[in-house]
Amino acid sequence: MKHLTLFCLALLFTLAQHASAAADICTANLTNLPLPCPAPPTQHGKPSVRHDRYGVAHITAQSSYDLYFQIGIEDARDRLVQLEFFRRSASGHLAEVFGKGQISGDIDSRTNLYTEEERAYFFTTLPCDLQLALHAYADGINYYVDRIYRGRHKLVPHEFFGIGELVKLMTPAGLPGGTDYSLVEARGETAFKPGPWKVADSVAIAGLLVSQFGGGGGRQLRHAALLSYLTQLVTKNGDPTPAATARDIFDDVRWVRDTKAPVSLPQDPVGPVITDSGTETWPAPPACPLSLPVTARAPRSTQPSAVDSLTQESIRQALDQIEAREQRAEQRRHDFGAPSLHGSNGWVVSGTRTSSGKPLLWGGPQEGFDVPNINNEVYGRTPDLAFGGMKIPGAPFVLIGITDSTAFTTTSGEMDNSTIYLETLDPTRAPADPQAADANYYFLLNGEYHAMDRRTEVIHFAGEVPTQTPAYGTPRRAPLLLNVFRVNDCDPQHFHGPVTAWDFTDPQHPHAFTYKASSWKNELSTLEGFARFSTAKTVAEFDAAVAKVISLHNFFYADQRGNIGYWSAGSRVNYPIGFDDRFPSDGTGSQEWQPNPDGSMYTPFSKSIYSINPPQGYVVNWNTKPAAEECVLEGNTHDEHWGPIYRSERIGFLLDSGHNHNAEDIRLIAKDIGTVDNSEDTVAPSASYFVPLISAAYDRLVAANSPLTDSTQHPLLAEAVATLDGWNQYLVDQDSIHLEDGHYDPAYSPFLAQPGMSILFQWWYSFRQNLFGGGMQPNSPYIGTINFADRTINNTEWVGETTYGMVVHALDGSASGAPQRFHGDYFGGHRDEMIIASLNDAIALLAGNGALPKLSYGTCDGPGVDVLGFNTNDVTQWGWRERLNHDFDCHGSLTSTMFTAGTRPTNFGKVATHNRSTYMQIVSLTQPLVGSNIIAPGESAFIRHRKPGIGIVAGHNGDQAELFRNFQYKPMRLP
């Protein structure tokens, strides 16, 4: 919409004064204006650098510029290939190097993220000290790159020689236009040379990370498709009221709130804050301080749904477009070494529960495993700063780590901060091809049609003819023109974000789908918040830093004074009254996000969800629901969030059950929860609920002389039930878990080698298939009434989105924390029979020797297999096995697998990732502070080029792999 406010016009005038910003971009929904900062220094000192035995840099500098300059050098030395393709992935410029095959991914990045001009502008809104840090970091990278290409070619990464030869072959007409890289002759070969690193590159990476790890929700079209599927399913089954029945089932499986879900916020969340002079009172968090009753739910019959008028074909087509983008993004993240997961666990323990009397902190971000690790490590000191720990190549700030007197970590939040809007288009002005030269669209808002914001970008690719004029359509030899559309980009309240899908199935009623997130154009506020963690010296200063974080994260803090803290951060959205965030919003004006009374659009969650020195003495989060308030809405994902069974409860149980803990206890607790099954559903935490249920069903069927419990037909059933019962008791047996002094027994193994774990795991998947998937056995009478895998309706496989949280709600009925709405019987009148029939199915699998492909089994030799059975009737031999699902001798990214074949074999070896973290740290806040951590397989990713096709892997590429295999750590030390 082009109705610019005076404020927006003033911003555009400001933009015109900046050479790096274009006059056609709008930044009205930014919270900050550009700052006039002094230019970076032209001269700088020489820091002192020491590399420890694992290759981690420890830098002492006289100024922050010198420190961050050196961090740039260190990142370039160890991770230059990763840096180059991380920034290209984040900014949509991979096709310039790898050709047409990467154009679709570049289109996605350009559509969903920002332009170069916008990123340059965002940078100018950062505080001056952070602008200086990013300038220094960029200068350090560029200094190193210029140095190694100025004659020291032995330090040019091996991959860049292979990429250089590839680009040379692909570009007979010359390098693509608009690119800043070059091909140089080095050692008689052609090498790729990256263009200068820009501050906007760090901004691009920050934006990508915020969207990947700090976003929640966005599945509204998926939910609409599920509801449509359920409606067709119950119609097929002859239900007389299919719409109402389908909605009841949908409410059961995509509940809004479960009152029995565990939360991180302790019941008594706040105690006195310890200061150098005594203690001070910290205010208790307010009870969900909403300016509007935004979570008040209208009766379901009156709730408007923007998709009610859409056909299944329209929903499916739009969803396919969005999911295709997500799949391409996931592939690019894997191919080019970007973060791929969205998890993490963290906890902090008060000195009242530790042997030293000082806090202990654990941090375990779960970002996926690759070679190289997505994270790296650095330690630095200036007269004003001292920090170290985990960072991500591409930005110089430590995200999880330590200072002289504090420690901090983070996990991803799972709340909802985004919405998909359904835009109603003017049918008289809605061309069917958005990528036509004259394509323009008009959307309906408040009774009037307004023009969409449109910009046109040029996508260059290796193999183009640079002299040809850019053109629309299928790229052949000319650069590609790309139209990018946004809705209300210049309106702080009514912007709906970029268009992510189109619907032209009915020319008389065309639609577009846009994606709106509360972090839009304010991602650098999150970067500022993380950067301030390294300078915060008190609880109050850390609290102020957390308030800057607008993406969804949970934070933990501890200091040497004895304070511990927890915050759930992000921007709380004021949804309109009666709004159902599970479905797309109506873009015509009835479901706009509401401003606060002061005019601001968002309120930090951290101002109402926090805990400082709680009397219980610890706080835990494994992407757990932060608090019980109804204002905390989840993104309604398809995993176990947030039901009565949740994985973080195991951590809380172990922290609560021992005597005073030490760092070794924390390491062993991390091993305990890190060796739960690494399945999608994390089945092990459900044992305390499902094992008693299985045992009770078995006893009832035995008493009823059911053929399902006949020992002649099922000779292993009784032993399997007894094994489950014994294992379930072992999981909570304090004498097994702890030594006599109360510390965790290193010999205790709750999951590995446990037959009960294997039985529960296979029972769960059999039970899920019987309940929701149409049955394990053909024509079995013991299957559920709702078949989420019925392919006669459409090609969607919904059984993969069923969870044990859904099963618990079905089992508990009206007693559930999210009471059951469907009044039929999910179990077809055979609840106990289905439970035990599923156990018999599991026993048959475990006693046999079947195998299934497991595509996630990551080895250099390709996909491996998951062996389902043990080929024996001896139940004691069914111990839960490690899956060596990751091979540290495989370079996981496209650039590595294409160009490092000559570097193998290495001897870093295979590991079982289980449910472990990508980076792990344990910190004791004693005097002095003592920490340990690990980044597997190693700090470096440098491969020295020897000759064509042959490279030598640096020693620090894999020298932490053995530590990782054995759940061991290395010291964290500040310079």
Side-chain angles (χ1 to χ4, degrees):
M1 187 171 67
K2 299 302 183 184
H3 295 180
L4 302 184
T5 63
L6 289 176
F7 176 63
C8 188
L9 288 170
L11 282 178
L12 289 176
F13 177 79
T14 302
L15 286 176
Q17 311 308 308
H18 288 76
S20 61
D24 62 344
I25 66 172
C26 181
T27 55
N29 53 325
L30 277 170
T31 56
N32 298 318
L33 294 174
L35 295 175
C37 298
T42 56
Q43 296 182 339
H44 55 88
K46 184 174 178 59
S48 168
V49 184
R50 178 183 66 84
H51 294 90
D52 65 21
R53 61 176 293 193
Y54 294 98
V56 177
H58 297 248
I59 306 164
T60 302
Q62 293 305 305
S63 72
S64 61
Y65 179 91
D66 293 349
L67 173 61
Y68 290 116
F69 182 91
Q70 189 64 40
I71 292 175
I73 290 176
E74 299 301 326
D75 275 10
R77 185 198 315 274
D78 286 332
R79 304 293 185 95
L80 187 57
V81 176
Q82 187 179 32
L83 283 170
E84 175 65 8
F85 296 109
F86 197 175
R87 70 168 168 173
R88 288 186 174 275
S89 180
S91 61
H93 288 274
L94 280 167
E96 294 174 357
V97 178
F98 293 106
K100 292 181 181 179
Q102 294 299 326
I103 286 179
S104 60
D106 282 352
I107 289 174
D108 297 339
S109 296
R110 305 279 188 99
T111 298
N112 295 324
L113 298 171
Y114 303 109
T115 67
E116 179 82 12
E117 293 78 17
E118 286 172 318
R119 292 192 295 270
Y121 178 84
F122 298 160
F123 168 78
T124 68
T125 68
L126 281 171
C128 291
D129 62 324
L130 301 188
Q131 289 190 37
L132 181 70
L134 291 181
H135 268 303
Y137 180 71
D139 291 346
I141 294 174
N142 293 330
Y143 170 85
Y144 183 81
V145 171
D146 288 344
R147 178 185 170 207
I148 65 174
Y149 282 91
R150 202 168 50 236
R152 304 192 65 178
H153 293 152
K154 66 179 182 179
L155 297 179
V156 173
H158 172 64
E159 297 95 319
F160 281 170
F161 285 90
I163 293 171
E165 295 293 341
L166 174 68
V167 173
K168 183 178 179 180
L169 289 173
M170 294 174 65
T171 57
L175 296 181
T179 60
D180 59 2
Y181 70 83
S182 59
L183 299 181
V184 300
E185 293 302 311
R187 304 175 67 178
E189 301 176 59
T190 300
F192 171 93
K193 180 182 179 182
W197 188 273
K198 302 179 291 292
V199 292
D201 295 327
S202 293
V203 172
I205 290 171
L208 181 65
L209 292 174
V210 168
S211 65
Q212 174 67 19
F213 291 105
R219 287 176 53 89
Q220 288 88 357
L221 263 176
R222 186 75 168 153
H223 298 155
L226 173 58
L227 180 58
S228 178
Y229 170 79
L230 291 170
T231 302
Q232 295 176 75
L233 181 65
V234 297
T235 299
K236 176 186 173 184
N237 293 342
D239 191 283
T241 57
T245 300
R247 182 58 188 259
D248 284 338
I249 297 170
F250 177 84
D251 285 341
D252 283 353
V253 301
R254 292 293 181 269
W255 58 91
V256 172
R257 181 176 181 235
D258 188 328
T259 58
K260 293 183 178 180
V263 299
S264 287
L265 198 69
Q267 187 172 6
D268 188 2
V270 172
V273 173
I274 305 167
T275 69
D276 290 337
S277 57
T279 60
E280 296 178 358
T281 301
W282 193 275
C288 193
L290 299 179
S291 59
L292 292 170
V294 295
T295 57
R297 303 282 173 173
R300 285 179 294 148
S301 59
T302 65
Q303 284 181 338
S305 175
V307 296
D308 286 345
S309 61
L310 294 182
T311 65
Q312 169 69 10
E313 181 185 5
S314 292
I315 295 172
R316 188 72 249 172
Q317 183 184 91
L319 181 60
D320 286 347
Q321 293 175 58
I322 291 174
E323 293 191 336
R325 289 180 187 273
E326 292 173 350
Q327 291 167 6
R328 287 193 296 266
E330 176 62 30
Q331 186 63 50
R332 278 160 73 95
R333 284 193 290 267
H334 174 267
D335 289 346
F336 296 98
S340 59
L341 295 182
H342 189 100
S344 309
N345 49 65
W347 62 85
V348 64
V349 184
S350 166
T352 61
R353 286 181 172 267
T354 67
S355 300
S356 67
K358 291 292 186 179
L360 288 164
L361 179 139
W362 160 266
Q366 295 179 306
E367 306 148 285
F369 291 92
D370 216 330
V371 181
N373 195 305
I374 182 56
N375 304 312
N376 65 341
E377 188 177 4
V378 74
Y379 296 84
R381 183 181 291 277
T382 72
D384 302 316
L385 295 171
F387 61 80
M390 185 215 92
K391 56 181 289 298
I392 288 181
F397 307 117
V398 166
L399 307 181
I400 297 175
I402 60 175
T403 71
D404 271 335
S405 60
T406 70
F408 48 91
T409 190
T410 182
T411 73
S412 292
E414 298 289 345
M415 295 179 284
D416 200 348
N417 69 345
S418 65
T419 296
I420 290 178
Y421 272 93
L422 173 65
E423 310 293 346
T424 299
L425 303 181
D426 182 352
T428 66
R429 296 178 289 180
D433 182 8
Q435 295 307 320
D438 58 352
N440 285 289
Y441 297 91
Y442 298 82
F443 63 95
L444 185 63
L445 178 67
N446 296 328
E448 296 181 14
Y449 284 106
H450 305 272
M452 277 190 187
D453 300 307
R454 166 186 149 166
R455 74 171 189 274
T456 301
E457 294 205 4
V458 179
I459 295 183
H460 294 281
F461 59 92
E464 70 178 39
V465 177
T467 57
Q468 287 197 7
T469 302
Y472 289 97
T474 302
R476 297 185 184 277
R477 301 304 302 277
L480 178 68
L481 288 176
L482 171 70
N483 293 330
V484 177
F485 295 91
R486 295 176 183 172
V487 169
N488 282 357
D489 200 41
C490 203
D491 187 328
Q493 180 178 352
H494 300 101
F495 82 95
H496 292 173
V499 174
T500 60
W502 302 91
D503 171 30
F504 301 116
T505 55
D506 181 355
Q508 300 303 312
H509 300 91
H511 298 95
F513 294 87
T514 54
Y515 178 74
K516 177 174 181 173
S518 62
S519 59
W520 182 249
K521 293 190 177 179
N522 285 302
E523 287 87 348
L524 288 205
S525 183
T526 292
L527 182 68
E528 180 183 353
F530 273 100
R532 299 300 184 210
F533 294 162
S534 295
T535 62
K537 301 182 184 301
T538 65
V539 173
E541 290 178 0
F542 196 86
D543 174 74
V546 170
K548 292 285 186 181
V549 176
I550 52 84
S551 49
L552 300 174
H553 294 276
N554 300 285
F555 293 106
F556 293 89
Y557 164 91
D559 64 34
Q560 289 178 325
R561 295 182 182 89
N563 296 301
I564 65 171
Y566 162 80
W567 293 260
S568 188
S571 300
R572 180 179 59 77
V573 174
N574 289 333
Y575 294 114
I577 297 174
F579 171 71
D580 191 336
D581 65 315
R582 294 172 296 178
F583 297 107
S585 299
D586 184 354
T588 63
S590 64
Q591 295 184 334
E592 298 299 300
W593 296 0
Q594 302 300 306
N596 291 315
D598 64 359
S600 63
M601 283 302 300
Y602 312 111
T603 302
F605 276 115
S606 61
K607 293 301 182 183
S608 59
I609 305 177
Y610 58 82
S611 177
I612 309 296
N613 296 333
Q616 78 174 22
Y618 64 89
V619 189
V620 169
N621 185 276
W622 196 351
N623 312 116
T624 318
K625 186 176 183 178
E629 285 85 357
E630 199 167 339
C631 65
V632 178
L633 299 179
E634 70 148 332
N636 288 294
T637 53
H638 69 279
D639 55 17
E640 73 272 21
H641 304 297
W642 283 318
I645 300 170
Y646 204 70
R647 57 194 182 189
S648 57
E649 290 295 273
R650 177 70 179 175
I651 307 170
F653 165 76
L654 293 171
L655 291 177
D656 205 32
S657 61
H659 292 187
N660 288 338
H661 301 286
N662 56 25
E664 177 65 5
D665 293 326
I666 299 302
R667 183 185 76 85
L668 292 171
I669 291 172
K671 180 179 180 181
D672 182 308
I673 64 105
T675 52
V676 301
D677 57 291
N678 52 347
S679 66
E680 179 183 356
D681 299 310
T682 315
V683 176
S686 69
S688 62
Y689 185 94
F690 284 137
V691 170
L693 180 147
I694 293 169
S695 185
Y698 173 76
D699 290 341
R700 286 191 291 267
L701 292 183
V702 167
N705 294 317
S706 169
L708 289 173
T709 58
D710 186 334
S711 61
T712 60
Q713 298 181 51
H714 306 287
L716 302 180
L717 178 60
E719 186 178 1
V721 172
T723 300
L724 282 172
D725 285 337
W727 175 61
N728 192 42
Q729 290 298 315
Y730 179 69
L731 291 177
V732 296
D733 179 26
Q734 299 294 347
D735 290 337
S736 298
I737 297 171
H738 298 100
L739 300 169
E740 290 185 1
D741 62 4
H743 292 293
Y744 191 108
D745 187 346
Y748 176 65
S749 180
F751 307 112
L752 294 179
Q754 294 295 333
M757 176 69 240
S758 299
I759 296 170
L760 179 72
F761 184 86
Q762 294 301 347
W763 171 85
W764 158 246
Y765 284 102
S766 298
F767 187 63
R768 185 174 81 166
Q769 186 67 25
N770 285 328
L771 179 59
F772 292 125
M776 288 284 290
Q777 304 296 331
N779 303 316
S780 170
Y782 307 121
I783 60 174
T785 60
I786 305 299
N787 181 7
F788 281 77
D790 190 335
R791 289 185 175 272
T792 65
I793 295 176
N794 59 35
N795 292 324
T796 301
E797 178 64 78
W798 291 103
V799 70
E801 292 212 355
T802 59
T803 69
Y804 53 71
M806 293 163 54
V807 171
V808 170
H809 290 162
L811 290 166
D812 287 353
S814 61
S816 171
Q820 183 176 322
R821 292 186 181 272
F822 175 58
H823 296 297
D825 184 359
Y826 283 107
F827 306 96
H830 297 285
R831 173 177 159 144
D832 285 351
E833 287 87 352
M834 189 184 298
I835 291 171
I836 299 306
S838 301
L839 184 56
N840 286 330
D841 291 336
I843 290 169
L845 287 170
L846 292 166
N849 195 30
L852 290 176
K854 189 70 174 179
L855 297 181
S856 62
Y857 222 59
T859 68
C860 288
D861 301 322
V865 295
D866 254 352
V867 178
L868 297 181
F870 291 85
N871 199 29
T872 176
N873 287 338
D874 185 352
V875 175
T876 65
Q877 300 301 307
W878 294 355
W880 181 253
R881 294 176 290 208
E882 287 192 314
R883 294 190 302 148
L884 299 178
N885 62 314
H886 188 74
D887 193 334
F888 281 138
D889 293 322
C890 291
H891 286 258
S893 69
L894 173 67
T895 53
S896 296
T897 55
M898 286 176 65
F899 304 116
T900 61
T903 67
R904 293 177 50 221
T906 54
N907 57 357
F908 305 148
K910 299 177 182 179
V911 297
T913 60
H914 298 295
N915 216 319
R916 300 174 68 181
S917 300
T918 312
Y919 165 83
M920 293 171 279
Q921 75 173 30
I922 304 167
V923 184
S924 177
L925 279 301
T926 51
Q927 296 277 2
L929 177 150
V930 177
S932 58
N933 68 359
I934 186 169
I935 292 180
E939 173 67 17
S940 179
F942 176 66
I943 302 174
R944 187 183 298 275
H945 183 65
R946 186 171 180 182
K947 59 184 180 179
I950 302 295
I952 301 173
V953 174
H956 296 308
N957 279 38
D959 55 356
Q960 297 183 50
E962 187 65 17
L963 294 175
F964 183 88
R965 258 189 299 277
N966 295 318
F967 292 85
Q968 295 175 332
Y969 303 84
K970 60 182 181 55
M972 301 174 72
R973 294 193 179 100
L974 291 169

